[in-house]
Amino acid sequence: MVSRMFRIETEVDRQRRDLLRSRLRDTNTEASPVLRELRGTQLDREVPLQLWALDESGELAAGLDAHTWGRWLHVNLLWVDARHRGTGLGSQLLTAAERTAREERDCVNSRVWTWDFQAPDFDRKYGYEVVCAIPDYPAGITEYTLTKRIG
């Protein structure tokens, strides 16, 4: 038996993080025929998708930040200013993002995440189903991941 010594470091290191990400990607690609087929194709690119709603004075009233990858729309952020909530603005942004992802990027599924005090009921209203709930993330809050078929 060979005994090895390792030094564990806790410093933040972007170069090592990028190397780690690259090596994990290579390992995952080698292990998965699905990922091997996806790599190097148009579907393997993360393409940003952002929508902005500006009020009459040009101020940000609402916004949606997302990206598409692997025929999925990934909604990262959706926010509507309190003055404009209940006007349908959030619905317009979400449906526009889904339409763009479906019609221009060939996406067939969408995913969102939210906390229990934010918008799980909003997402359910638009056909999203909870696939994951993480209680106490952070303590006292439940995080939800929801998905929907859009194509």
Side-chain angles (χ1 to χ4, degrees):
M1 181 171 153
V2 176
S3 176
R4 295 191 174 124
M5 297 291 289
F6 296 96
R7 183 178 73 238
I8 306 296
E9 297 179 357
T10 60
E11 69 187 68
V12 175
D13 185 322
R14 285 185 178 170
Q15 189 173 5
R16 285 183 184 162
R17 182 210 53 208
D18 292 346
L19 178 60
L20 177 66
R21 187 175 285 147
S22 173
R23 289 186 178 173
L24 180 59
R25 178 184 167 97
D26 292 347
T27 300
N28 289 344
T29 300
E30 184 178 320
S32 169
V34 173
L35 288 178
R36 273 196 305 278
E37 189 172 314
L38 181 67
R39 296 298 186 224
T41 69
Q42 195 69 4
L43 295 175
D44 192 29
R45 290 184 42 236
E46 272 190 24
V47 181
L49 175 59
Q50 298 176 337
L51 302 165
W52 311 109
L54 307 177
D55 66 17
E56 51 283 337
S57 66
E59 293 295 316
L60 183 64
L64 181 144
D65 174 74
H67 68 274
T68 55
W69 177 83
R71 300 184 76 196
W72 277 80
L73 169 66
H74 298 256
V75 178
N76 304 311
L77 305 169
L78 174 58
W79 172 83
V80 178
D81 186 277
R83 295 171 294 161
H84 304 290
R85 291 186 190 137
T87 64
L89 195 48
S91 303
Q92 289 176 34
L93 291 175
L94 183 60
T95 57
E98 290 174 353
R99 184 176 49 255
T100 299
R102 182 179 55 253
E103 294 175 5
E104 297 177 21
R105 303 186 185 185
D106 199 30
C107 290
V108 294
N109 295 296
S110 178
R111 69 182 271 184
V112 300
W113 73 271
T114 189
W115 282 320
D116 56 8
F117 65 88
Q118 288 178 317
D121 292 334
F122 172 85
D123 298 319
R124 284 187 194 104
K125 179 178 163 183
Y126 291 95
Y128 286 82
E129 296 179 4
V130 173
V131 295
C132 176
I134 305 172
D136 289 324
Y137 187 75
I141 296 173
T142 299
E143 178 184 287
Y144 295 100
T145 300
L146 300 93
T147 64
K148 172 183 175 180
R149 182 134 179 100
I150 63 171

